[in-house]
Amino acid sequence: MPDAFLSVRGLRLGHARPGLWPLRRRRIVLHDIDLDLARGERVGLVGASGSGKTSLLRCLLALDRPDAGLITCNGRRIRPAPVRALRDFRRAVQYIPQDPAASLDPRMTVAALVTEPLRRLKVDCDPLPRACEVLEQVGLGPDFLNRRRAELSGGQAQRVAIARAVATRPAFLLTDEPVSGLDLPVRDQVVSVLDDLSRHFGTGLLVVSHDLSVPARICDRTLVMDAGRIVEDRPTAHLLAAPRHPATRALISAIPPLPATEIA
């Protein structure tokens, strides 16, 4: 893809099996993955537990080093390195973790949490006004600035995690199970926040989930992983209407049905 923002070619990753060295063998978890993500694109990455989606995400975030293959961002090779070496990449590609309770330091105020990446990555802005701005964008007012993790609900913590990620004005957000463990109304709110931010700023999204219902709402394209391979890569509407792979059909069958409504 000529206009690819993130590009993956021939990515292969293995994990060591339990056993005594040197007889221990590696279990291949990613098999020759090829993937392109265009600037501003909204893509779902779905699969059952153990399908390889988290391993792929960690490689895309330059947290794990693959055994083979190439990852580039804007044509520049990306690999695990200290923050200083990856500063431009960390500004452009931000991560929203699955568990905000674990990702937010309970000792820090919301203001400190949101401004920390701005200072660490040396973003050229006034940190506190930027924090107020992004908190407003995720539906949290300035009265949240002095709160700590213990004073936030699950949905509020997830919004703070989103605000922290978008504070650097990234070109792409990589999200890992962004609504896992949240009640249905809060799930809807968080998905709407991601949708609104992406549309307003043109931010690309990669939504990693075991639940197809989230990409179905906000992603134009969806990838399905199974056994370390991408087995489908199609427009989301087409994939939902006519799934081709058994793994896709299993994920679709697991989407909870909408509650029945009475017609007056």
Side-chain angles (χ1 to χ4, degrees):
M1 185 184 296
D3 60 344
F5 176 75
L6 281 170
S7 184
V8 177
R9 289 292 176 271
L11 197 70
R12 193 180 314 138
L13 178 69
H15 294 324
R17 294 180 184 273
L20 296 176
W21 187 89
L23 299 178
R24 184 166 53 189
R25 296 181 179 178
R26 291 178 69 78
R27 176 175 64 89
I28 304 301
V29 294
L30 295 176
H31 298 266
D32 300 316
I33 299 290
D34 291 333
L35 170 63
D36 287 311
L37 300 174
R39 185 179 291 271
E41 193 175 18
R42 295 141 60 98
V43 180
L45 176 64
V46 299
S49 178
S51 61
K53 59 187 187 297
T54 299
S55 295
L56 177 55
L57 178 63
R58 288 185 59 84
C59 289
L60 287 171
L61 288 166
L63 297 176
D64 288 346
R65 185 181 298 274
D67 297 326
L70 178 69
I71 300 174
T72 60
C73 178
N74 274 335
R76 296 180 59 185
R77 183 166 187 171
I78 301 300
R79 65 186 86 186
V83 170
R84 181 180 299 177
L86 289 174
R87 188 171 287 150
D88 289 343
F89 175 70
R90 297 290 183 218
R91 290 173 184 160
V93 177
Q94 278 286 316
Y95 171 54
I96 301 173
Q98 176 179 354
D99 184 1
S103 71
L104 303 179
D105 188 330
R107 299 166 298 179
M108 298 172 70
T109 64
V110 168
L113 288 165
V114 176
T115 58
E116 183 189 31
L118 299 173
R119 294 189 171 96
R120 290 188 66 195
L121 298 175
K122 300 186 183 302
V123 177
D124 186 14
C125 72
D126 194 339
L128 191 57
R130 176 68 65 85
C132 293
E133 179 185 344
V134 295
L135 285 172
E136 188 72 28
Q137 288 163 359
V138 301
L140 300 176
D143 54 313
F144 280 84
L145 285 169
N146 292 320
R147 298 192 191 185
R148 286 177 167 79
R149 173 66 188 91
E151 301 172 88
L152 303 173
S153 68
Q156 290 167 346
Q158 189 65 301
R159 289 181 186 224
V160 170
I162 295 171
R164 175 184 169 93
V166 301
T168 66
R169 301 272 173 83
F172 229 95
L173 286 174
L174 307 186
T175 73
D176 185 13
E177 303 282 2
V179 297
S180 177
L182 300 178
D183 294 337
L184 189 58
V186 181
R187 286 167 55 103
D188 290 342
Q189 292 170 8
V190 170
V191 172
S192 294
V193 166
L194 289 172
D195 186 31
D196 291 344
L197 288 170
S198 174
R199 292 185 185 279
H200 185 73
F201 295 103
T203 309
L205 288 176
L206 180 68
V207 180
V208 178
S209 179
H210 68 281
D211 180 357
L212 247 173
S213 65
V214 179
R217 281 189 54 184
I218 60 174
C219 296
D220 305 312
R221 170 185 165 209
T222 295
L223 318 173
V224 180
M225 289 199 72
D226 183 52
R229 294 179 170 86
I230 295 176
V231 295
E232 292 212 46
D233 179 356
R234 300 165 59 204
T236 303
H238 296 177
L239 183 141
L240 291 171
R244 295 172 179 168
H245 195 274
T248 311
R249 291 194 285 272
L251 290 169
I252 291 175
S253 68
I255 297 177
L258 292 173
T261 57
E262 295 183 2
I263 300 176

